Amino acid sequence: MYWKNSKTTNRLKLILLLWGVIGISQFSVAQEEGEDQVQEEDESYYQRPSILDKLAPGGNFSLQFGTITYIEVSPMVGYRFTNNFTAGPGFTYRYFKVRGFEASSIYGPRFFARYVISRQFFLQSEYENLSVEFPTGDPRTPVTREWVPGLFVGGGLFQPIGQRAGIMVGAFYNLSHDNIRSPYNSPWVFNVGLTL
C-alpha cells in the first residue's frame, strides 16, 4: 500500500510510461523506414533496365564501286551482360564482282564476345562460318560452295558518340586462317564498325 501512493512509485510509473511511448514510437518509425526501404526496393526493381535497354545493335557496312564492286553488310546484336561484357550473334553478307567476271557472294553467321577494358579500349573475340565459292575446274559445275570457319582475337579503340553509341576501330588476328580457302588475304583483319 505504501508503494502505491509514494512519489517514487509515481515517478517509476511516469518513467515506464515514457519509456513505453518512446519504444512504441521507435517501433513505428522503424516500421515506416522498413516500409520505405521495401518501397524503394520495389521501385528499383521496376526501374531495372529492360531487355531492350540491354541490347547493343551494331555492325559493319562497306561499299566500293568501279572495276571492282564490293558490298558488305554485317549486322550484329549484342546483349550487355554487364557494363563491361557484351556478346551476341551477327550475320555477314559480302557481294564481290570484278568487271568482266561472274559475281560472287559470301555469307554466314558469326558470334562475338567483347570486353571493355576502359571507356576507349576493348578486347574482342569472334567466330564466323562463311559460305564461300571455290572454282572446281569442271566446266559442268565451275564453282562449289564450302563453309570456311574463322576464329578472330584482337581489340581496338572505341570512340563514344553520346551516352551509348560509338564508333569502333579494331585489329583482329584469324587463328584459323587458311591461305587457300580463307576469304581474307591475310590473317590480320582491320575493320571499322558502329555500335548503338
Side-chain angles (χ1 to χ4, degrees):
M1 299 292 278
Y2 172 76
W3 290 100
K4 287 185 180 179
N5 296 327
S6 71
K7 289 182 180 180
T8 306
T9 303
N10 289 337
R11 284 183 189 161
L12 184 59
K13 286 180 182 179
L14 182 62
I15 290 171
L16 288 173
L17 179 64
L18 289 174
W19 194 26
V21 169
I22 291 170
I24 290 171
S25 65
Q26 289 296 330
F27 175 77
S28 64
V29 168
Q31 188 176 14
E32 287 175 14
E33 287 176 356
E35 289 172 358
D36 290 343
Q37 186 176 5
V38 169
Q39 186 175 3
E40 286 174 13
E41 289 174 2
D42 287 346
E43 288 174 4
S44 68
Y45 174 79
Y46 291 110
Q47 291 174 356
R48 288 183 184 163
S50 68
I51 290 177
L52 292 177
D53 291 333
K54 288 186 165 268
L55 292 181
N60 306 326
F61 180 75
S62 300
L63 286 175
Q64 177 183 333
F65 297 104
T67 305
I68 298 174
T69 301
Y70 178 78
I71 301 170
E72 178 181 354
V73 180
S74 298
M76 63 182 187
V77 179
Y79 182 82
R80 289 185 177 97
F81 290 93
T82 68
N83 288 336
N84 294 343
F85 181 70
T86 304
F91 187 82
T92 297
Y93 176 80
R94 296 185 189 126
Y95 174 86
F96 184 79
K97 183 171 185 345
V98 177
R99 190 175 294 160
F101 294 91
E102 290 290 323
S104 177
S105 293
I106 298 172
Y107 51 84
R110 63 184 181 147
F111 181 84
F112 78 97
R114 181 183 307 129
Y115 184 80
V116 177
I117 301 170
S118 69
R119 184 159 170 79
Q120 294 179 322
F121 298 99
F122 67 91
L123 297 175
Q124 182 170 313
S125 63
E126 186 172 325
Y127 176 80
E128 69 178 10
N129 198 15
L130 299 179
S131 176
V132 182
E133 287 183 336
F134 293 99
T136 62
D138 184 350
R140 291 171 297 175
T141 54
V143 294
T144 185
R145 282 201 167 269
E146 293 182 25
W147 290 97
V148 180
L151 178 60
F152 300 87
V153 293
L157 298 171
F158 176 75
Q159 179 60 50
I161 303 172
Q163 189 173 7
R164 290 179 48 170
I167 296 173
M168 307 182 84
V169 179
F172 305 97
Y173 187 82
N174 187 350
L175 297 173
S176 59
H177 179 74
D178 181 339
N179 287 328
I180 297 170
R181 299 176 69 238
S182 178
Y184 304 98
N185 295 332
S186 162
W188 284 101
V189 175
F190 303 91
N191 64 27
V192 177
L194 177 70
T195 184
L196 302 176

